[in-house]
Amino acid sequence: MTPSDFLTLILTEIGWNLAVWVPTTLLSLLFIRTVLGVPMRELAAEIEDRQTAAIGAVFFWASLGFALLFSRMVAAPAPMTDLPWSQAFAWLALAVGLSLVLFSVGVWAVFGTLARRKGEGVSGYLRRELVAEHNLALSFVLGALFLVPVVVAYHVTL
Protein backbone atom coordinates (compact mmCIF):
# COMPACT_ATOMS: atom_id res chain seq x y z
CA MET A 1 0.00 0.00 0.00
CA THR A 2 1.43 3.34 -1.01
CA PRO A 3 1.29 6.38 1.29
CA SER A 4 -1.25 7.91 -1.10
CA ASP A 5 -3.48 4.83 -0.84
CA PHE A 6 -3.17 4.88 2.94
CA LEU A 7 -4.15 8.56 3.11
CA THR A 8 -7.06 7.95 0.74
CA LEU A 9 -8.26 5.08 2.92
CA ILE A 10 -8.12 7.17 6.08
CA LEU A 11 -9.97 10.07 4.43
CA THR A 12 -12.57 7.62 3.09
CA GLU A 13 -13.08 6.19 6.59
CA ILE A 14 -13.48 9.66 8.08
CA GLY A 15 -15.83 10.78 5.31
CA TRP A 16 -18.11 7.75 5.60
CA ASN A 17 -18.14 7.96 9.39
CA LEU A 18 -19.32 11.55 9.10
CA ALA A 19 -21.87 10.47 6.49
CA VAL A 20 -23.26 8.00 9.03
CA TRP A 21 -22.96 10.12 12.19
CA VAL A 22 -24.62 13.25 10.79
CA PRO A 23 -27.93 11.61 9.75
CA THR A 24 -27.83 9.44 12.90
CA THR A 25 -27.58 12.50 15.11
CA LEU A 26 -30.20 14.47 13.19
CA LEU A 27 -32.70 11.60 13.09
CA SER A 28 -32.11 10.80 16.76
CA LEU A 29 -32.60 14.41 17.83
CA LEU A 30 -35.71 14.72 15.67
CA PHE A 31 -37.17 11.52 17.16
CA ILE A 32 -36.31 12.59 20.72
CA ARG A 33 -37.93 15.99 20.17
CA THR A 34 -41.05 14.98 18.22
CA VAL A 35 -41.86 11.49 19.51
CA LEU A 36 -40.46 11.55 23.05
CA GLY A 37 -41.31 15.25 23.49
CA VAL A 38 -37.98 16.22 25.07
CA PRO A 39 -36.94 19.82 24.26
CA MET A 40 -33.34 20.08 23.08
CA ARG A 41 -32.42 22.43 25.93
CA GLU A 42 -33.39 19.65 28.37
CA LEU A 43 -31.51 16.85 26.56
CA ALA A 44 -28.40 16.97 28.77
CA ALA A 45 -30.55 16.98 31.92
CA GLU A 46 -32.53 13.97 30.65
CA ILE A 47 -29.29 12.06 30.03
CA GLU A 48 -27.30 13.12 33.10
CA ASP A 49 -29.79 13.91 35.84
CA ARG A 50 -32.85 11.80 35.06
CA GLN A 51 -30.73 9.16 33.26
CA THR A 52 -33.49 8.39 30.79
CA ALA A 53 -32.36 5.17 29.10
CA ALA A 54 -34.75 5.70 26.19
CA ILE A 55 -32.72 8.74 25.07
CA GLY A 56 -29.52 6.69 24.86
CA ALA A 57 -31.34 3.79 23.23
CA VAL A 58 -32.58 6.06 20.44
CA PHE A 59 -29.00 7.04 19.64
CA PHE A 60 -27.86 3.42 19.84
CA TRP A 61 -30.49 1.95 17.53
CA ALA A 62 -30.31 4.84 15.06
CA SER A 63 -26.53 4.38 14.96
CA LEU A 64 -26.88 0.66 14.37
CA GLY A 65 -29.38 1.11 11.57
CA PHE A 66 -27.58 3.92 9.78
CA ALA A 67 -24.18 2.26 10.18
CA LEU A 68 -25.44 -0.96 8.63
CA LEU A 69 -27.36 0.82 5.87
CA PHE A 70 -24.74 3.33 4.78
CA SER A 71 -21.67 1.16 5.15
CA ARG A 72 -23.25 -1.73 3.25
CA MET A 73 -24.36 0.70 0.57
CA VAL A 74 -20.78 1.83 -0.09
CA ALA A 75 -18.99 -1.42 0.70
CA ALA A 76 -16.06 -2.26 -1.51
CA PRO A 77 -14.11 -4.54 0.83
CA ALA A 78 -10.61 -5.69 0.03
CA PRO A 79 -10.59 -9.27 -1.26
CA MET A 80 -9.56 -10.87 2.04
CA THR A 81 -9.56 -14.37 0.59
CA ASP A 82 -6.84 -13.44 -1.91
CA LEU A 83 -4.49 -11.94 0.67
CA PRO A 84 -1.79 -13.74 2.62
CA TRP A 85 -2.39 -13.97 6.38
CA SER A 86 0.10 -11.21 7.13
CA GLN A 87 -1.70 -8.72 4.87
CA ALA A 88 -5.13 -9.80 6.12
CA PHE A 89 -4.02 -9.15 9.70
CA ALA A 90 -2.53 -5.82 8.63
CA TRP A 91 -5.92 -4.80 7.18
CA LEU A 92 -7.62 -5.96 10.37
CA ALA A 93 -5.16 -3.97 12.49
CA LEU A 94 -5.78 -0.88 10.33
CA ALA A 95 -9.56 -1.29 10.67
CA VAL A 96 -9.36 -1.73 14.45
CA GLY A 97 -6.95 1.20 14.77
CA LEU A 98 -9.11 3.54 12.70
CA SER A 99 -12.22 2.44 14.59
CA LEU A 100 -10.59 3.16 17.93
CA VAL A 101 -9.30 6.55 16.79
CA LEU A 102 -12.73 7.58 15.49
CA PHE A 103 -14.42 6.19 18.63
CA SER A 104 -12.01 8.23 20.76
CA VAL A 105 -12.74 11.39 18.76
CA GLY A 106 -16.49 10.80 19.21
CA VAL A 107 -16.11 10.19 22.95
CA TRP A 108 -13.97 13.30 23.33
CA ALA A 109 -16.45 15.44 21.35
CA VAL A 110 -19.63 14.21 23.07
CA PHE A 111 -18.49 13.40 26.58
CA GLY A 112 -15.90 16.16 26.67
CA THR A 113 -18.72 18.65 26.21
CA LEU A 114 -20.82 17.04 28.94
CA ALA A 115 -17.85 16.69 31.31
CA ARG A 116 -16.92 20.37 30.92
CA ARG A 117 -20.44 21.31 32.03
CA LYS A 118 -19.74 19.48 35.30
CA GLY A 119 -16.13 20.71 35.57
CA GLU A 120 -14.69 17.18 35.24
CA GLY A 121 -12.29 15.33 32.97
CA VAL A 122 -13.72 12.87 30.45
CA SER A 123 -12.51 9.69 32.18
CA GLY A 124 -13.65 10.86 35.63
CA TYR A 125 -17.00 11.92 34.21
CA LEU A 126 -17.53 8.56 32.46
CA ARG A 127 -16.46 6.63 35.55
CA ARG A 128 -18.87 8.55 37.76
CA GLU A 129 -21.82 8.47 35.37
CA LEU A 130 -21.47 4.88 34.12
CA VAL A 131 -20.11 3.05 37.16
CA ALA A 132 -21.09 5.02 40.25
CA GLU A 133 -24.46 6.28 38.98
CA HIS A 134 -25.31 3.38 36.63
CA ASN A 135 -26.34 5.77 33.86
CA LEU A 136 -27.80 3.49 31.17
CA ALA A 137 -28.58 6.43 28.88
CA LEU A 138 -24.89 7.35 28.62
CA SER A 139 -23.99 3.70 28.20
CA PHE A 140 -26.20 3.53 25.11
CA VAL A 141 -24.70 6.75 23.72
CA LEU A 142 -21.20 5.34 24.29
CA GLY A 143 -22.25 2.15 22.47
CA ALA A 144 -23.53 4.19 19.54
CA LEU A 145 -20.23 6.07 19.32
CA PHE A 146 -18.38 2.74 19.13
CA LEU A 147 -20.81 1.02 16.79
CA VAL A 148 -20.62 3.42 13.86
CA PRO A 149 -16.85 3.38 13.23
CA VAL A 150 -16.61 -0.39 13.74
CA VAL A 151 -19.39 -1.22 11.26
CA VAL A 152 -18.13 1.36 8.73
CA ALA A 153 -14.55 0.05 9.10
CA TYR A 154 -15.79 -3.47 8.50
CA HIS A 155 -17.48 -2.55 5.24
CA VAL A 156 -15.01 0.04 3.95
CA THR A 157 -11.61 -1.16 5.19
CA LEU A 158 -12.01 -4.92 5.21
Side-chain angles (χ1 to χ4, degrees):
M1 173 181 278
T2 67
S4 174
D5 292 339
F6 184 72
L7 180 61
T8 300
L9 179 63
I10 290 176
L11 292 175
T12 300
E13 286 280 349
I14 292 169
W16 280 113
N17 269 278
L18 289 174
V20 174
W21 271 335
V22 170
T24 294
T25 302
L26 294 176
L27 179 71
S28 296
L29 292 174
L30 180 66
F31 184 88
I32 288 166
R33 177 62 188 117
T34 58
V35 176
L36 300 181
V38 176
M40 291 302 105
R41 67 184 177 283
E42 294 179 21
L43 185 60
E46 284 291 331
I47 292 172
E48 288 181 333
D49 302 331
R50 294 180 202 86
Q51 299 181 2
T52 309
I55 301 292
V58 167
F59 280 103
F60 183 83
W61 291 114
S63 295
L64 176 62
F66 273 105
L68 292 173
L69 174 67
F70 277 90
S71 62
R72 189 67 223 150
M73 190 171 70
V74 300
M80 296 301 287
T81 55
D82 298 338
L83 295 178
W85 281 101
S86 60
Q87 287 182 346
F89 280 116
W91 277 106
L92 179 61
L94 179 64
V96 169
L98 285 172
S99 296
L100 291 176
V101 166
L102 291 168
F103 169 65
S104 299
V105 168
V107 167
W108 178 80
V110 172
F111 293 108
T113 303
L114 294 172
R116 278 191 298 279
R117 289 181 64 241
K118 299 281 187 176
E120 296 177 293
V122 174
S123 63
Y125 173 81
L126 284 174
R127 218 172 291 121
R128 181 181 54 75
E129 286 286 337
L130 297 178
V131 177
E133 296 184 15
H134 308 286
N135 190 335
L136 187 58
L138 279 181
S139 178
F140 275 124
V141 173
L142 189 64
L145 289 173
F146 183 71
L147 186 70
V148 171
V150 169
V151 172
V152 172
Y154 169 74
H155 286 106
V156 175
T157 306
L158 297 177

